[in-house]
Amino acid sequence: MESVREIEQWPVDNAATAVVTAAGDVLGTHGDTTKVYRLASVTKPLTAYAALIAIEEGVVELDTPAGPEGSTIRHLLAHTSGLAFNEHKAMAEPGNRRLYSNAGFEQLADALTEHSGIPFADYQAEALFQPLGMKATRLTGSPASGAESTVDDLVAFAAELQAPKLIAAETVREATSVVFPGLSGVLPGFGHQKPNDWGLGFEIRDHKSPHWTGSSSSPRTFGHFGQSGTFLWVDPDAGAACVALTDRAFGPWAAEVWPPYTDAVLAELGKLTP
């Protein structure tokens, strides 16, 4: 793919990217795909997927109480527990508002540790990273933002999201469909969105504007971006996913170059499809 070369124009010191299909075929890469980058909030989908595995293994259920009073695993995954952004204090009743919360994902990991009896980082490594061969991926800090990884490893994860082998396909469909529909809220870096739709640990594009994906991204597109200048999206309608990692903190530069890059990738994918 020629479109992946667009990252050469990004105002960053280092960047790498890849496009992978639902069949697991890597259509294009650019940059050093073995270089380890900080993921920031792209950590959250990895944490969420470990939680989904735990749910299927019977460690917890979506309705297991976790977080502040009245909150459940489902609320924590969907950013509706009412917890503040970084502080472990409730700002709203569970289910009433979409409050993006790092604290919520930390309490999610704490709940999984409590119910499994295994430190969350160990559980995640054994249940997710090792089976997918994600040898360079580590959770070295907060389960909300403390992972590091490579494009190659995230390609394996993006392929899993499109054709799951570790959990049931219907579980992934539920996780990437809107949970608690109709709730508005702030999408960090892109302002207030009405509605601000999320699944279980995955942001859902729908018709948000402005947004970090492209204008041609389908409403079913899901994924996450991180404040370390990283993103991963899956567009089911395009039958492909894209990963991009950089070493420059998110800012106006990213909001300017990411959407046209996504549109270029999708345009080229359209030409490649018979």
Short mmCIF file of all heavy atoms in Angstrom, two decimals, residues 56-102:
data_model
loop_
_atom_site.label_atom_id
_atom_site.label_comp_id
_atom_site.label_asym_id
_atom_site.label_seq_id
_atom_site.Cartn_x
_atom_site.Cartn_y
_atom_site.Cartn_z
N GLU A 56 -15.47 -14.71 29.90
CA GLU A 56 -15.75 -16.01 29.27
C GLU A 56 -15.21 -17.17 30.10
O GLU A 56 -15.76 -18.27 30.06
CB GLU A 56 -15.18 -16.04 27.86
CG GLU A 56 -15.94 -15.19 26.88
CD GLU A 56 -15.90 -15.72 25.46
OE1 GLU A 56 -15.10 -16.62 25.17
OE2 GLU A 56 -16.68 -15.21 24.63
N GLU A 57 -14.16 -16.91 30.86
CA GLU A 57 -13.60 -17.97 31.71
C GLU A 57 -14.37 -18.10 33.02
O GLU A 57 -14.08 -18.99 33.82
CB GLU A 57 -12.13 -17.68 32.00
CG GLU A 57 -11.22 -17.85 30.79
CD GLU A 57 -9.75 -17.65 31.11
OE1 GLU A 57 -9.44 -17.07 32.17
OE2 GLU A 57 -8.91 -18.08 30.30
N GLY A 58 -15.34 -17.22 33.26
CA GLY A 58 -16.14 -17.32 34.47
C GLY A 58 -15.53 -16.66 35.69
O GLY A 58 -16.02 -16.85 36.81
N VAL A 59 -14.48 -15.88 35.48
CA VAL A 59 -13.84 -15.17 36.61
C VAL A 59 -14.79 -14.12 37.16
O VAL A 59 -14.93 -13.95 38.37
CB VAL A 59 -12.50 -14.54 36.16
CG1 VAL A 59 -11.90 -13.70 37.29
CG2 VAL A 59 -11.52 -15.62 35.72
N VAL A 60 -15.41 -13.37 36.25
CA VAL A 60 -16.40 -12.35 36.61
C VAL A 60 -17.50 -12.39 35.56
O VAL A 60 -17.39 -13.07 34.54
CB VAL A 60 -15.79 -10.93 36.65
CG1 VAL A 60 -14.83 -10.77 37.81
CG2 VAL A 60 -15.11 -10.58 35.33
N GLU A 61 -18.55 -11.61 35.80
CA GLU A 61 -19.60 -11.39 34.82
C GLU A 61 -19.70 -9.89 34.57
O GLU A 61 -19.20 -9.08 35.36
CB GLU A 61 -20.94 -11.93 35.32
CG GLU A 61 -20.94 -13.42 35.56
CD GLU A 61 -22.27 -13.91 36.13
OE1 GLU A 61 -23.15 -13.05 36.42
OE2 GLU A 61 -22.42 -15.13 36.28
N LEU A 62 -20.35 -9.51 33.49
CA LEU A 62 -20.52 -8.08 33.21
C LEU A 62 -21.27 -7.39 34.33
O LEU A 62 -21.05 -6.20 34.60
CB LEU A 62 -21.25 -7.88 31.88
CG LEU A 62 -20.40 -8.01 30.61
CD1 LEU A 62 -21.28 -7.97 29.37
CD2 LEU A 62 -19.33 -6.92 30.54
N ASP A 63 -22.15 -8.11 35.00
CA ASP A 63 -22.95 -7.51 36.07
C ASP A 63 -22.33 -7.70 37.45
O ASP A 63 -22.98 -7.38 38.46
CB ASP A 63 -24.37 -8.08 36.04
CG ASP A 63 -25.13 -7.63 34.80
OD1 ASP A 63 -24.90 -6.49 34.34
OD2 ASP A 63 -25.94 -8.42 34.27
N THR A 64 -21.09 -8.19 37.52
CA THR A 64 -20.41 -8.30 38.80
C THR A 64 -20.16 -6.91 39.37
O THR A 64 -19.61 -6.05 38.67
CB THR A 64 -19.06 -9.03 38.64
OG1 THR A 64 -19.30 -10.37 38.18
CG2 THR A 64 -18.29 -9.08 39.95
N PRO A 65 -20.54 -6.64 40.60
CA PRO A 65 -20.28 -5.32 41.19
C PRO A 65 -18.79 -5.01 41.20
O PRO A 65 -17.96 -5.85 41.56
CB PRO A 65 -20.83 -5.46 42.61
CG PRO A 65 -21.88 -6.52 42.52
CD PRO A 65 -21.33 -7.50 41.52
N ALA A 66 -18.45 -3.79 40.79
CA ALA A 66 -17.05 -3.35 40.77
C ALA A 66 -17.04 -1.84 40.66
O ALA A 66 -17.89 -1.24 40.00
CB ALA A 66 -16.29 -3.97 39.61
N GLY A 67 -16.07 -1.19 41.30
CA GLY A 67 -16.01 0.26 41.28
C GLY A 67 -16.88 0.86 42.37
O GLY A 67 -17.13 0.23 43.40
N PRO A 68 -17.37 2.08 42.16
CA PRO A 68 -18.19 2.73 43.19
C PRO A 68 -19.52 2.01 43.41
O PRO A 68 -19.91 1.15 42.60
CB PRO A 68 -18.41 4.14 42.63
CG PRO A 68 -18.21 4.00 41.17
CD PRO A 68 -17.18 2.92 40.98
N GLU A 69 -20.21 2.36 44.47
CA GLU A 69 -21.47 1.69 44.79
C GLU A 69 -22.46 1.79 43.63
O GLU A 69 -22.67 2.85 43.06
CB GLU A 69 -22.09 2.32 46.05
CG GLU A 69 -23.34 1.59 46.53
CD GLU A 69 -23.87 2.15 47.83
OE1 GLU A 69 -23.21 3.05 48.41
OE2 GLU A 69 -24.95 1.70 48.27
N GLY A 70 -23.04 0.64 43.28
CA GLY A 70 -23.99 0.58 42.19
C GLY A 70 -23.38 0.32 40.84
O GLY A 70 -24.08 0.11 39.84
N SER A 71 -22.05 0.33 40.76
CA SER A 71 -21.35 0.13 39.49
C SER A 71 -21.00 -1.35 39.30
O SER A 71 -20.89 -2.12 40.27
CB SER A 71 -20.07 0.98 39.47
OG SER A 71 -19.29 0.69 38.33
N THR A 72 -20.82 -1.73 38.05
CA THR A 72 -20.47 -3.10 37.68
C THR A 72 -19.29 -3.10 36.72
O THR A 72 -18.84 -2.05 36.27
CB THR A 72 -21.66 -3.79 36.99
OG1 THR A 72 -21.91 -3.11 35.74
CG2 THR A 72 -22.92 -3.76 37.85
N ILE A 73 -18.84 -4.30 36.39
CA ILE A 73 -17.80 -4.45 35.37
C ILE A 73 -18.23 -3.78 34.08
O ILE A 73 -17.44 -3.09 33.42
CB ILE A 73 -17.51 -5.95 35.12
CG1 ILE A 73 -16.94 -6.63 36.37
CG2 ILE A 73 -16.58 -6.13 33.92
CD1 ILE A 73 -15.55 -6.23 36.75
N ARG A 74 -19.49 -3.94 33.72
CA ARG A 74 -20.01 -3.31 32.49
C ARG A 74 -19.87 -1.79 32.54
O ARG A 74 -19.44 -1.17 31.56
CB ARG A 74 -21.49 -3.70 32.30
CG ARG A 74 -22.07 -3.30 30.94
CD ARG A 74 -23.60 -3.41 30.95
NE ARG A 74 -24.06 -4.63 31.59
CZ ARG A 74 -24.26 -5.78 30.95
NH1 ARG A 74 -24.03 -5.87 29.66
NH2 ARG A 74 -24.71 -6.85 31.62
N HIS A 75 -20.24 -1.19 33.67
CA HIS A 75 -20.13 0.26 33.81
C HIS A 75 -18.67 0.72 33.67
O HIS A 75 -18.39 1.72 33.00
CB HIS A 75 -20.66 0.71 35.17
CG HIS A 75 -22.15 0.63 35.30
ND1 HIS A 75 -22.78 -0.32 36.05
CD2 HIS A 75 -23.14 1.41 34.78
CE1 HIS A 75 -24.09 -0.15 36.00
NE2 HIS A 75 -24.34 0.90 35.22
N LEU A 76 -17.77 0.01 34.29
CA LEU A 76 -16.36 0.40 34.23
C LEU A 76 -15.84 0.33 32.79
O LEU A 76 -15.12 1.23 32.33
CB LEU A 76 -15.52 -0.49 35.15
CG LEU A 76 -15.79 -0.33 36.64
CD1 LEU A 76 -15.03 -1.40 37.42
CD2 LEU A 76 -15.41 1.06 37.14
N LEU A 77 -16.18 -0.73 32.08
CA LEU A 77 -15.73 -0.89 30.70
C LEU A 77 -16.30 0.19 29.78
O LEU A 77 -15.65 0.61 28.82
CB LEU A 77 -16.12 -2.26 30.17
CG LEU A 77 -15.27 -3.45 30.62
CD1 LEU A 77 -15.97 -4.77 30.32
CD2 LEU A 77 -13.90 -3.41 29.94
N ALA A 78 -17.51 0.64 30.08
CA ALA A 78 -18.22 1.57 29.19
C ALA A 78 -18.08 3.03 29.63
O ALA A 78 -18.73 3.90 29.08
CB ALA A 78 -19.70 1.20 29.13
N HIS A 79 -17.21 3.29 30.61
CA HIS A 79 -17.02 4.66 31.11
C HIS A 79 -18.32 5.27 31.62
O HIS A 79 -18.60 6.45 31.40
CB HIS A 79 -16.40 5.56 30.02
CG HIS A 79 -15.02 5.15 29.62
ND1 HIS A 79 -13.91 5.34 30.42
CD2 HIS A 79 -14.56 4.54 28.50
CE1 HIS A 79 -12.83 4.87 29.81
NE2 HIS A 79 -13.20 4.38 28.65
N THR A 80 -19.12 4.45 32.30
CA THR A 80 -20.37 4.95 32.87
C THR A 80 -20.47 4.66 34.36
O THR A 80 -21.57 4.65 34.92
CB THR A 80 -21.60 4.35 32.14
OG1 THR A 80 -21.53 2.92 32.22
CG2 THR A 80 -21.65 4.79 30.70
N SER A 81 -19.34 4.41 35.01
CA SER A 81 -19.37 4.11 36.45
C SER A 81 -19.60 5.37 37.28
O SER A 81 -19.95 5.28 38.45
CB SER A 81 -18.05 3.47 36.88
OG SER A 81 -16.99 4.42 36.85
N GLY A 82 -19.37 6.54 36.66
CA GLY A 82 -19.48 7.79 37.39
C GLY A 82 -18.18 8.26 38.00
O GLY A 82 -18.12 9.35 38.58
N LEU A 83 -17.11 7.46 37.87
CA LEU A 83 -15.81 7.85 38.41
C LEU A 83 -15.21 9.01 37.63
O LEU A 83 -15.43 9.17 36.43
CB LEU A 83 -14.84 6.67 38.38
CG LEU A 83 -15.06 5.60 39.46
CD1 LEU A 83 -14.20 4.38 39.16
CD2 LEU A 83 -14.73 6.16 40.85
N ALA A 84 -14.42 9.81 38.34
CA ALA A 84 -13.74 10.94 37.72
C ALA A 84 -12.67 10.47 36.75
O ALA A 84 -12.36 9.28 36.66
CB ALA A 84 -13.12 11.82 38.81
N PHE A 85 -12.10 11.42 36.03
CA PHE A 85 -11.09 11.11 35.00
C PHE A 85 -9.90 10.36 35.59
O PHE A 85 -9.58 9.25 35.19
CB PHE A 85 -10.64 12.40 34.32
CG PHE A 85 -9.55 12.21 33.30
CD1 PHE A 85 -9.69 11.31 32.26
CD2 PHE A 85 -8.39 12.96 33.37
CE1 PHE A 85 -8.69 11.14 31.31
CE2 PHE A 85 -7.39 12.81 32.44
CZ PHE A 85 -7.53 11.90 31.40
N ASN A 86 -9.23 10.97 36.55
CA ASN A 86 -8.06 10.35 37.16
C ASN A 86 -8.23 10.07 38.65
O ASN A 86 -7.45 9.31 39.23
CB ASN A 86 -6.81 11.22 36.96
CG ASN A 86 -6.14 10.97 35.62
OD1 ASN A 86 -6.15 9.86 35.11
ND2 ASN A 86 -5.56 12.02 35.05
N GLU A 87 -9.20 10.68 39.27
CA GLU A 87 -9.40 10.52 40.70
C GLU A 87 -10.38 9.40 41.00
O GLU A 87 -11.36 9.22 40.28
CB GLU A 87 -9.90 11.82 41.30
CG GLU A 87 -8.95 12.99 41.19
CD GLU A 87 -9.54 14.24 41.80
OE1 GLU A 87 -9.34 14.45 43.02
OE2 GLU A 87 -10.22 14.99 41.07
N HIS A 88 -10.08 8.67 42.06
CA HIS A 88 -10.94 7.56 42.45
C HIS A 88 -12.08 8.05 43.33
O HIS A 88 -12.23 7.66 44.48
CB HIS A 88 -10.11 6.48 43.14
CG HIS A 88 -9.17 5.78 42.21
ND1 HIS A 88 -9.45 4.56 41.64
CD2 HIS A 88 -7.97 6.16 41.72
CE1 HIS A 88 -8.45 4.20 40.85
NE2 HIS A 88 -7.54 5.17 40.88
N LYS A 89 -12.89 8.94 42.74
CA LYS A 89 -14.07 9.42 43.44
C LYS A 89 -15.22 9.53 42.45
O LYS A 89 -15.02 9.81 41.26
CB LYS A 89 -13.80 10.78 44.09
CG LYS A 89 -13.56 11.93 43.14
CD LYS A 89 -13.39 13.23 43.92
CE LYS A 89 -13.23 14.43 42.99
NZ LYS A 89 -13.08 15.70 43.73
N ALA A 90 -16.42 9.26 42.95
CA ALA A 90 -17.60 9.26 42.09
C ALA A 90 -18.07 10.69 41.82
O ALA A 90 -18.16 11.50 42.74
CB ALA A 90 -18.71 8.45 42.73
N MET A 91 -18.37 10.95 40.55
CA MET A 91 -18.86 12.27 40.14
C MET A 91 -20.32 12.20 39.68
O MET A 91 -20.96 13.22 39.49
CB MET A 91 -18.01 12.79 38.98
CG MET A 91 -16.52 12.86 39.28
SD MET A 91 -16.12 14.07 40.55
CE MET A 91 -16.44 15.58 39.64
N ALA A 92 -20.83 10.99 39.49
CA ALA A 92 -22.21 10.81 39.02
C ALA A 92 -22.68 9.41 39.39
O ALA A 92 -21.87 8.54 39.72
CB ALA A 92 -22.29 11.01 37.51
N GLU A 93 -23.97 9.20 39.33
CA GLU A 93 -24.53 7.87 39.56
C GLU A 93 -24.18 6.96 38.38
O GLU A 93 -24.17 7.41 37.22
CB GLU A 93 -26.05 7.95 39.71
CG GLU A 93 -26.52 8.63 40.97
CD GLU A 93 -26.17 7.84 42.22
OE1 GLU A 93 -26.30 6.61 42.20
OE2 GLU A 93 -25.75 8.47 43.21
N PRO A 94 -23.90 5.69 38.63
CA PRO A 94 -23.58 4.77 37.53
C PRO A 94 -24.69 4.72 36.48
O PRO A 94 -25.88 4.69 36.82
CB PRO A 94 -23.42 3.42 38.24
CG PRO A 94 -23.00 3.78 39.63
CD PRO A 94 -23.76 5.04 39.95
N GLY A 95 -24.28 4.75 35.21
CA GLY A 95 -25.22 4.63 34.11
C GLY A 95 -25.83 5.92 33.63
O GLY A 95 -26.57 5.91 32.63
N ASN A 96 -25.56 7.03 34.30
CA ASN A 96 -26.21 8.29 33.96
C ASN A 96 -25.42 9.18 33.01
O ASN A 96 -26.00 9.99 32.29
CB ASN A 96 -26.53 9.09 35.22
CG ASN A 96 -27.67 8.48 36.01
OD1 ASN A 96 -28.37 7.62 35.51
ND2 ASN A 96 -27.85 8.92 37.25
N ARG A 97 -24.09 9.07 33.05
CA ARG A 97 -23.25 9.93 32.22
C ARG A 97 -22.07 9.13 31.67
O ARG A 97 -21.65 8.15 32.25
CB ARG A 97 -22.71 11.12 33.05
CG ARG A 97 -23.76 12.08 33.51
CD ARG A 97 -23.20 13.09 34.51
NE ARG A 97 -22.12 13.90 33.92
CZ ARG A 97 -21.36 14.73 34.64
NH1 ARG A 97 -21.55 14.84 35.94
NH2 ARG A 97 -20.42 15.44 34.05
N ARG A 98 -21.57 9.59 30.53
CA ARG A 98 -20.38 8.97 29.94
C ARG A 98 -19.18 9.81 30.37
O ARG A 98 -18.85 10.83 29.74
CB ARG A 98 -20.48 8.95 28.41
CG ARG A 98 -19.36 8.13 27.74
CD ARG A 98 -19.71 6.66 27.62
NE ARG A 98 -20.86 6.44 26.77
CZ ARG A 98 -21.47 5.27 26.61
NH1 ARG A 98 -21.02 4.20 27.25
NH2 ARG A 98 -22.52 5.14 25.82
N LEU A 99 -18.56 9.41 31.48
CA LEU A 99 -17.40 10.12 32.00
C LEU A 99 -16.16 9.27 31.74
O LEU A 99 -15.93 8.26 32.42
CB LEU A 99 -17.56 10.37 33.51
CG LEU A 99 -18.70 11.30 33.93
CD1 LEU A 99 -18.79 11.36 35.45
CD2 LEU A 99 -18.51 12.68 33.34
N TYR A 100 -15.37 9.68 30.75
CA TYR A 100 -14.15 8.95 30.41
C TYR A 100 -13.25 8.89 31.63
O TYR A 100 -12.91 9.93 32.22
CB TYR A 100 -13.46 9.64 29.24
CG TYR A 100 -12.21 8.95 28.75
CD1 TYR A 100 -12.30 7.90 27.85
CD2 TYR A 100 -10.96 9.35 29.20
CE1 TYR A 100 -11.16 7.26 27.40
CE2 TYR A 100 -9.81 8.72 28.74
CZ TYR A 100 -9.92 7.68 27.85
OH TYR A 100 -8.79 7.04 27.40
N SER A 101 -12.84 7.68 32.03
CA SER A 101 -12.19 7.54 33.32
C SER A 101 -11.01 6.56 33.29
O SER A 101 -11.20 5.36 33.05
CB SER A 101 -13.21 7.08 34.37
OG SER A 101 -12.59 6.85 35.61
N ASN A 102 -9.82 7.09 33.56
CA ASN A 102 -8.67 6.21 33.79
C ASN A 102 -8.86 5.45 35.09
O ASN A 102 -8.51 4.26 35.18
CB ASN A 102 -7.38 7.04 33.86
CG ASN A 102 -6.96 7.59 32.51
OD1 ASN A 102 -7.19 6.97 31.47
ND2 ASN A 102 -6.34 8.75 32.52
#
